[in-house]
Amino acid sequence: MDTLKILVAEDNLMHASKMEMTLDQMGYDLLGIYANQKDFLEAFVIQEPDLVILDIELEGGTDGVNMAKTIQQIRPVPVIFATSFEDRETMNRAMQTDPYAYLIKPVAKAGLQAAIELAIHKFAKQSANTGSSHPESFDEAAILFNSFFVKSGSKLQKVRLDDIQWVEVAQDRYCDLVTTDRKFQVRSSLNQLEQKLDPGKFLRIHRAVIVNLNHIEGIDEIDMVVEIGGQSLPLGGAYKAALLAKVKMI
C-alpha cells in the first residue's frame, strides 16, 4: 500500500525543517520541499503529489497564491496554505484560489493532520459532485486519483482500486476493504461505496459483498460461492446472472 504523497513549497529553513519532521512523524510520503516556483513546479509535474502545501511568499518574491492557480491548471489537487501572514488582505487573496485549508505558522501537528484529512475528503467529494463540500470529519473512504484514501491509525492510507479484491459489510455503517495483503475498515455503507466504484471492474455478488472482477479465481454455481484470494465469498441468487454476464464479457 502507498502513503499520501505531499509536496511542499517553503523557503524558510526553520519552517521547512519543522514541516519535514512533522510529516515524517505523521507517516506521510514527503516528496520534497522547494524554495522557488521553478523547482516546485518541475517536481509537481514529475512526481504527481496527492496534495500540496504552499507558503504564500517564496524565494525571489514568488507569490504562492499565483502558484496555486498555476497548479490547478496543470492538474487539480487539494492545496493547503501555510503562511506567517495573518492580515485580511493576504487571506482574501488566498481564498480566491479555493484552498482546502489556511494555516498560520508555526503549524501544529494536530492542526496539520486535520487539514490534510479534510482537504482530501473535501476534494474527493467535490470531484465526484456528491455530498457537502464542508465535511466535519474523515468518516468515509475518499476516492481520488484511482485510489481510496482511508483512515488507518493516525494517518491517511492510499489504497489503489486495482488492489482491492472485495468489499464487504462489517458491522452497522462499516465496511471492510480487502486487498491482497491488508484489510481496511471504513465508516461507509456498502451502497455508498458501490456508487464510488467503477461498475466496469466492481460488481455486487451478494447483498453484503462487492467483488473486483479482475481478482475472481473461480465461480461455483452449485455451492453458490465466488473464489478470490483463497476465500469463498457468498453468491446471491439474485446477482448470479449479472456476474456470469460480466465474466463472459471479460
Side-chain angles (χ1 to χ4, degrees):
M1 298 301 105
D2 296 325
T3 54
L4 186 73
K5 298 189 298 182
I6 299 177
L7 194 65
V8 178
E10 172 61 69
D11 64 350
N12 182 291
L13 292 179
M14 182 181 70
H15 290 307
S17 178
K18 182 177 180 180
M19 180 66 71
E20 180 178 13
M21 180 179 66
T22 301
L23 291 174
D24 181 64
Q25 291 174 346
M26 293 162 65
Y28 291 126
D29 183 5
L30 176 59
L31 301 177
I33 299 179
Y34 297 88
N36 62 73
Q37 177 171 297
K38 180 178 179 297
D39 293 340
F40 179 88
L41 292 179
E42 287 181 356
F44 179 83
V45 172
I46 295 172
Q47 302 195 61
E48 298 186 340
D50 302 308
L51 177 144
V52 301
I53 301 174
L54 301 177
D55 188 8
I56 295 290
E57 186 173 331
L58 295 167
E59 186 179 276
T62 300
D63 188 290
V65 175
N66 291 331
M67 195 156 74
K69 296 177 182 178
T70 301
I71 287 172
Q72 301 306 334
Q73 293 174 353
I74 298 173
R75 184 175 69 94
V77 296
V79 172
I80 293 176
F81 282 120
T83 179
S84 300
F85 295 95
E86 300 182 59
D87 62 282
R88 176 55 59 181
E89 181 181 353
T90 299
M91 185 175 294
N92 287 340
R93 285 199 310 109
M95 291 303 111
Q96 292 176 8
T97 65
D98 294 323
Y100 291 83
Y102 187 94
L103 304 175
I104 303 299
K105 296 188 286 188
V107 178
K109 180 179 178 181
L112 181 59
Q113 178 68 46
I116 289 172
E117 291 182 16
L118 291 176
I120 290 294
H121 200 183
K122 178 181 175 183
F123 187 72
K125 278 184 173 290
Q126 289 183 331
S127 298
N129 293 318
T130 61
S132 168
S133 62
H134 297 282
E136 294 181 356
S137 62
F138 198 93
D139 290 330
E140 300 175 8
I143 186 170
L144 191 64
F145 307 133
N146 295 317
S147 299
F148 266 117
F149 285 89
V150 301
K151 193 72 179 294
S152 178
S154 61
K155 67 177 180 180
L156 297 184
Q157 190 80 30
K158 184 162 67 174
V159 184
R160 297 186 185 280
L161 295 182
D162 289 342
D163 291 337
I164 297 175
Q165 295 183 315
W166 73 87
V167 183
E168 62 183 347
V169 175
Q171 57 182 355
D172 298 328
R173 279 179 50 81
Y174 287 84
C175 284
D176 288 334
L177 300 181
V178 182
T179 70
T180 53
D181 58 0
R182 286 192 62 179
K183 180 192 294 185
F184 297 89
Q185 190 167 94
V186 298
R187 186 177 183 276
S188 183
S189 71
L190 195 65
N191 287 337
Q192 289 172 324
L193 291 177
E194 185 175 26
Q195 293 174 9
K196 299 177 181 179
L197 293 168
D198 180 358
K201 295 181 179 179
F202 291 86
L203 185 71
R204 189 184 288 239
I205 62 166
H206 185 271
R207 60 183 177 80
V209 182
I210 295 173
V211 300
N212 185 331
L213 297 170
N214 293 320
H215 284 275
I216 292 178
E217 299 165 352
I219 300 173
D220 190 326
E221 297 183 59
I222 297 177
D223 291 336
M224 293 295 284
V225 295
V226 174
E227 302 288 341
I228 297 182
Q231 300 294 316
S232 296
L233 305 175
L235 172 59
Y239 303 91
K240 178 181 174 181
L243 174 61
L244 294 179
K246 281 282 189 180
V247 171
K248 289 179 181 178
M249 289 176 63
I250 294 175

